[in-house]
Amino acid sequence: MTVSERYDNEDFKQALTVLKQGGIILYPTDTVWGIGCDATNDEAVNRIIRLKQRVSGKGMISLIDQPGLLNIYLDRIPDMAYDLWEIAEKPLTLIIPGAKKLAKEVMTSDGSMAVRITKEIFSKTLCQRLKRPLVSTSANISGEPTPRDYTQIDDRIVKGVDYVVEYRRDDVTPETPSGIIKLGVNYEIEVIRK
């Protein structure tokens, strides 16, 4: 099934309004459907943790629309990060040390940021208009399987957010989570998920 590159402007405006007001949304990403909020908003991030019944302190993936924003949220970006994103054949999340200006629970316990540069039209445009990183945690209760499309999302998640995006709900193309690589302060590389 081919997914249209066009989305409904009213749907988009509603999602953006909810995010700007500190709410949480259920939305399609460049990988699986995600639960999202402004990654700098502690209260919204804590709502997502409660909704997912997730242990705190694990950190959450954030989406950004362009690499130029990384300097705002990270002390230093290893050149290797840009190289890895450039050669990646599928969406890639990098865990980079030295996070700043993010909600406490978005950062990992060692103060790192898990970040992915999204190229998917809806999530990319949300990031551009929000002008902040967008939390992108899988739309499941912690410990349960990650839904591969909208139809597999648990009703508790759907009812627990402030807005559910209409765009791509009918797309049943099975999606998979991103690859994850952790970068160390001394240029170590650890593959977390292929």
Side-chain angles (χ1 to χ4, degrees), residues 48-119:
I48 291 176
I49 289 170
R50 289 191 300 273
L51 177 60
K52 285 181 61 88
Q53 301 172 31
R54 180 180 170 147
V55 176
S56 65
K58 291 177 69 176
M60 291 187 194
I61 294 172
S62 294
L63 300 181
I64 59 169
D65 61 296
Q66 58 174 306
L69 296 176
L70 290 170
N71 289 318
I72 298 170
Y73 302 101
L74 290 164
D75 288 331
R76 185 177 63 84
I77 302 98
D79 290 338
M80 174 185 356
Y82 301 109
D83 296 338
L84 288 168
W85 275 314
E86 191 173 313
I87 65 170
E89 295 179 0
K90 70 174 198 170
L92 176 64
T93 299
L94 295 180
I95 302 173
I96 303 172
K100 59 186 180 181
K101 299 183 181 178
L102 294 168
K104 181 181 178 223
E105 293 291 341
V106 169
M107 296 182 278
T108 62
S109 58
D110 67 357
S112 296
M113 177 185 193
V115 62
R116 187 166 73 247
I117 301 168
T118 181
K119 295 176 184 169

Side-chain angles (χ1 to χ4, degrees), residues 6 19 26 107 134 138 156 173 191-192:
R6 305 277 309 160
L19 291 169
L26 183 57
M107 296 182 278
L134 179 61
S138 57
R156 292 172 289 178
T173 307
V191 176
I192 308 290

Side-chain angles (χ1 to χ4, degrees), residues 74-168:
L74 290 164
D75 288 331
R76 185 177 63 84
I77 302 98
D79 290 338
M80 174 185 356
Y82 301 109
D83 296 338
L84 288 168
W85 275 314
E86 191 173 313
I87 65 170
E89 295 179 0
K90 70 174 198 170
L92 176 64
T93 299
L94 295 180
I95 302 173
I96 303 172
K100 59 186 180 181
K101 299 183 181 178
L102 294 168
K104 181 181 178 223
E105 293 291 341
V106 169
M107 296 182 278
T108 62
S109 58
D110 67 357
S112 296
M113 177 185 193
V115 62
R116 187 166 73 247
I117 301 168
T118 181
K119 295 176 184 169
E120 187 274 332
I121 188 69
F122 194 90
S123 56
K124 182 180 179 79
T125 309
L126 271 181
C127 291
Q128 288 170 341
R129 297 285 301 279
L130 184 62
K131 298 181 179 159
R132 292 189 179 95
L134 179 61
V135 165
S136 178
T137 184
S138 57
N140 61 311
I141 302 296
S142 188
E144 294 185 2
T146 299
R148 300 298 186 196
D149 62 55
Y150 178 78
T151 65
Q152 295 181 1
I153 299 172
D154 189 301
D155 211 36
R156 292 172 289 178
I157 297 291
V158 175
K159 291 178 179 175
V161 300
D162 300 310
Y163 185 71
V164 180
V165 171
E166 293 286 341
Y167 178 63
R168 288 183 47 202

Side-chain angles (χ1 to χ4, degrees), residues 36-50:
C37 70
D38 172 351
T40 67
N41 184 317
D42 282 296
E43 186 177 328
V45 169
N46 285 325
R47 279 188 61 205
I48 291 176
I49 289 170
R50 289 191 300 273

